[in-house]
Amino acid sequence: MTRQPTLAVVGATGSVGTVMRELLSSRRNVWGEIRLIASARSAGRTLRCRGEDLTVVELTPEAFDGVDVAMFDVPDAVSLQWAPIAVERGVTVVDNSAAFRMHPEVPLVVPEVNKEAMRSRPRGIISNANCTTMAMIMAIAPLHREYGLRELVLASYQAVSGAGQIGVDVLHDQLMKVAGDRTLGSRPGNVRQAVGDDLGPFPAPLALNVVPWSGDLEADGWSSEELKMRNESRKILGLPALKVSATCVRVPVVTGHSVAVHAVFGSELTAEDARGVLRNAPAVILVDDPAAGEFPMPIDAVGTDPSWVGRIRRAMDDPRALDMFITGDNMRKGAALNTVQIAELLAKELTR
Amino acid sequence: MTRQPTLAVVGATGSVGTVMRELLSSRRNVWGEIRLIASARSAGRTLRCRGEDLTVVELTPEAFDGVDVAMFDVPDAVSLQWAPIAVERGVTVVDNSAAFRMHPEVPLVVPEVNKEAMRSRPRGIISNANCTTMAMIMAIAPLHREYGLRELVLASYQAVSGAGQIGVDVLHDQLMKVAGDRTLGSRPGNVRQAVGDDLGPFPAPLALNVVPWSGDLEADGWSSEELKMRNESRKILGLPALKVSATCVRVPVVTGHSVAVHAVFGSELTAEDARGVLRNAPAVILVDDPAAGEFPMPIDAVGTDPSWVGRIRRAMDDPRALDMFITGDNMRKGAALNTVQIAELLAKELTR
């Protein structure tokens, strides 16, 4: 291919689509045409990308004509229906939904971890990992390569933007309602009363609360988010028997998913060994100086590309186990950035 | 003793002292005189307790004359100095600081778990457990009794009131500063900027953030709070070799500490087995119906006495392991209530 490839952004008006457009505007440009695609409701709107005003076109089979690579950020059901239609028209799809992630013929790719998995994509689809898994896997993968991962026990602290712009709006609404009343949170029931019925996509108020739930109810009391962390970690690392237990919890943070990680390896390692590996790992920032108040936190990680890792401690009862805390921007590496990175690797293939 | 025993509340003006006075006003009355003791700064103030107006007296050796039982909620250094002075005057001390908890001659007591440990108290002091440990241990102890606990992996979601009234004030101040600006939390640095320098007892802003730190820095990167969870769980359960890894995190919640728990037992159990045990456990509320939005949360647990337990799942890789989520009021059972319960057991001994 001598021309620069054409990219479609499907779901361009959503909150992840917005970050995708920002990234496309700020990264080295590898694309010819960029086409913004959305539902009929948004078609006709003008959105800015790469300094150009682009008109959003409706999601139809014809919208994919001439497209080389499409990045999808739409609900699972929409991906399930439309990704194969795009593929039929010659498009390679990078999908950020959960629809295809566990499909045996769809690679689940984090470029810094398993770029080689991209090579085999018989369905013409490459999946992007879940946002909580993504933040965690960036730090765990390089440690796994050196010490052989055996088990993960995970507890998440997930931001509301993981539930879309509506999640962000609802948290800000709730903060307005609770700010200024200093009795709230000290007496039973008064936060629920102050927040009222507008819970948005969440099962309970997020302001002044933590909610141990994210996603849908699956078998045996697990949430879909917890199973994603387990299944996707296994697939990305190529460890089908990896032991994983996750508890996923939503917290009143706008953007930045955090995970408390207890990781058991096959061989012994010290906290300083782990720091040495992570200092040299791609797309990881080591922030591990508690005496100086330096540890990973959402308010610092938001808007940045890497995973922030700190609070690294060797487990006191097992010289093969580490405890640590990891925070990553769920909208960037956790969603838009990883998708853009995969799309750019496809562009490189096409223009090679 | 034919008269009702005399109780002293040392630290009566603090936030835990306030809850102690509330509890003394609402529980069955077993006390003769109640004497409120505080620092010179607070002496002379009038505070309400059991419907009476009581004048706060200064902490002096003489303040303990005629006292049978004293509940201390003061900084570690104050307990360390003053508990032995009270004991010398014939007082039995129930101390809520960390000063004596790990002392081999001081029992660490949770009445529902190890009441028998109260019998031997050669120092005249009984310690009250750390607030995060307390919430968790209430649900873990009855499961341990049935299935033999081997290992705990813990991640906490701790409320700001654990750092005293100043922690609560600072969070409310910060909420006022961030409410209304819908850009906050979506861009790097803007929460820090909005909150400013008033961080109170915390190393970073709590509004729109989570802070993976609680307590002081101990050896090898552990926080004092994390070591308390380990050491106190071992002592209360009488399991000196229990494997424990904890990561302690502060969240923007006023009151109600939560813990995500991965517990490994000596024998197999199902989630339903665990629910059966917990339904009959003292001071535990089982809230485990995710489909109905029922799981333990701080906004529901605040102001209540029991530990709330839910999200119980059997680990998918180990039939002897459970994952669960536990929330308890850190000011009540986590501090004031447990202290009052121990004091009431001492009153019963005295009047037997």
Side-chain angles (χ1 to χ4, degrees), chain A residues 156-157 173 176 180 182 192 209 212 221 226 230 234 243-247 298-300 311 313 317 323, chain B residues 156-157 173 176 180 182 192 209 212 221 226 230 234 243-247 298-300 311 313 317 323:
Chain A
S156 75
Y157 302 71
D173 290 346
M176 297 275 283
R182 288 171 180 273
R192 281 190 187 272
N209 200 24
E226 289 157 354
R230 173 182 166 86
R234 289 174 154 200
K243 296 170 75 172
V244 185
S245 273
T247 296
I299 58 167
D300 297 324
R311 295 299 329 279
R313 293 145 290 157
D317 305 299
D323 292 279
Chain B
S156 75
Y157 303 70
D173 290 346
M176 296 275 284
R182 288 171 180 274
R192 280 190 187 273
N209 200 24
E226 290 157 354
R230 172 183 168 85
R234 290 173 154 200
K243 294 168 77 172
V244 185
S245 273
T247 296
I299 58 167
D300 297 324
R311 295 301 327 281
R313 294 144 289 156
D317 305 300
D323 292 280

Side-chain angles (χ1 to χ4, degrees), chain B residues 29-333:
Chain B
N29 182 40
V30 299
W31 304 104
E33 184 193 348
I34 291 182
R35 197 174 300 171
L36 305 184
I37 300 178
S39 64
R41 198 166 40 83
S42 297
R45 283 178 60 187
T46 300
L47 292 174
R48 210 143 173 94
C49 186
R50 275 194 318 189
E52 304 162 43
D53 284 324
L54 300 179
T55 303
V56 177
V57 300
E58 186 183 344
L59 178 58
T60 61
E62 294 70 32
F64 292 104
D65 286 343
V67 171
D68 299 293
V69 176
M71 307 194 295
F72 275 59
D73 187 84
V74 290
D76 291 4
V78 179
S79 280
L80 212 51
Q81 181 186 348
W82 285 92
I85 293 171
V87 169
E88 203 140 295
R89 302 227 160 198
V91 180
T92 303
V93 171
V94 189
D95 182 38
N96 191 38
S97 84
F100 302 99
R101 285 183 193 147
M102 298 311 298
H103 193 296
E105 294 185 340
V106 174
L108 180 61
V109 174
V110 180
E112 295 86 350
V113 177
N114 65 338
K115 192 165 67 172
E116 68 289 351
M118 281 180 63
R119 280 187 221 130
S120 169
R121 44 177 197 261
R123 297 275 165 162
I125 302 171
I126 298 171
S127 274
N128 201 41
N130 162 267
C131 47
T132 319
T133 309
M134 189 79 79
M136 183 267 297
I137 211 81
M138 295 302 297
I140 291 300
L143 295 171
H144 162 57
R145 238 171 263 128
E146 294 294 323
Y147 300 100
L149 187 65
R150 298 288 170 86
E151 182 176 5
L152 290 171
V153 180
L154 309 169
S156 75
Y157 303 70
Q158 294 179 230
V160 294
S161 59
Q165 185 58 39
I166 177 76
V168 178
D169 292 340
V170 160
L171 176 59
H172 280 301
D173 290 346
Q174 292 182 357
L175 288 180
M176 296 275 284
K177 290 175 183 168
V178 303
D181 183 346
R182 288 171 180 274
T183 68
L184 295 182
S186 297
R187 300 282 164 195
N190 65 5
V191 171
R192 280 190 187 273
Q193 204 164 6
V195 164
D197 292 333
D198 189 8
L199 304 178
F202 308 116
L206 257 302
L208 297 174
N209 200 24
V210 297
V211 180
W213 191 259
S214 175
D216 303 312
L217 180 60
E218 303 285 348
D220 302 321
W222 295 93
S223 72
S224 55
E225 189 81 2
E226 290 157 354
L227 297 187
K228 285 175 189 173
M229 291 200 79
R230 172 183 168 85
N231 295 330
E232 296 182 20
S233 298
R234 290 173 154 200
K235 183 166 178 175
I236 295 166
L237 297 175
L239 293 173
L242 181 66
K243 294 168 77 172
V244 185
S245 273
T247 296
C248 287
V249 180
R250 193 78 70 175
V251 295
V253 162
V254 175
T255 291
H257 284 357
S258 304
V259 188
V261 178
H262 178 80
V264 185
F265 296 90
S267 55
E268 294 192 11
L269 77 174
T270 65
E272 201 40 49
D273 290 337
R275 285 186 203 105
V277 169
L278 292 169
R279 258 183 217 109
N280 298 311
V284 167
I285 291 182
L286 184 70
V287 275
D288 197 6
D289 187 355
E294 289 187 7
F295 18 70
M297 290 184 288
I299 58 167
D300 297 324
V302 59
T304 72
D305 289 350
S307 276
W308 296 50
V309 189
R311 295 301 327 281
I312 301 171
R313 294 144 289 156
R314 174 146 87 161
M316 299 174 87
D317 305 300
D318 185 348
R320 302 167 307 132
L322 293 179
D323 292 280
M324 68 189 93
F325 195 78
I326 307 174
T327 305
D329 184 320
N330 49 296
M331 302 299 284
R332 291 174 77 91
K333 187 64 181 172

Side-chain angles (χ1 to χ4, degrees), chain A residues 55-121:
Chain A
T55 303
V56 177
V57 301
E58 187 183 344
L59 178 59
T60 61
E62 295 70 33
F64 292 104
D65 285 343
V67 170
D68 299 293
V69 177
M71 307 194 295
F72 276 60
D73 187 83
V74 291
D76 291 4
V78 179
S79 279
L80 213 52
Q81 182 187 348
W82 285 92
I85 293 171
V87 169
E88 203 140 296
R89 302 229 159 196
V91 180
T92 303
V93 170
V94 189
D95 181 39
N96 191 37
S97 84
F100 301 100
R101 285 183 194 147
M102 296 313 297
H103 192 296
E105 294 185 339
V106 174
L108 180 61
V109 174
V110 181
E112 295 86 349
V113 177
N114 65 339
K115 191 165 66 172
E116 66 289 352
M118 281 180 63
R119 282 187 217 129
S120 169
R121 44 177 196 259

Side-chain angles (χ1 to χ4, degrees), chain A residues 17-70:
Chain A
T18 301
V19 180
M20 286 175 173
R21 286 186 285 110
E22 287 173 13
L23 290 168
L24 292 169
S25 304
S26 63
R27 291 172 69 87
R28 201 171 65 82
N29 181 40
V30 300
W31 303 105
E33 185 193 346
I34 291 181
R35 197 174 298 172
L36 305 184
I37 300 177
S39 65
R41 197 164 42 83
S42 297
R45 281 178 62 187
T46 300
L47 292 175
R48 208 138 176 96
C49 186
R50 275 195 320 190
E52 304 162 43
D53 284 326
L54 301 178
T55 303
V56 177
V57 301
E58 187 183 344
L59 178 59
T60 61
E62 295 70 33
F64 292 104
D65 285 343
V67 170
D68 299 293
V69 177

Side-chain angles (χ1 to χ4, degrees), chain A residues 264-279:
Chain A
V264 185
F265 296 90
S267 54
E268 294 191 11
L269 77 173
T270 66
E272 200 40 49
D273 291 337
R275 286 186 202 106
V277 169
L278 293 169
R279 261 184 215 108

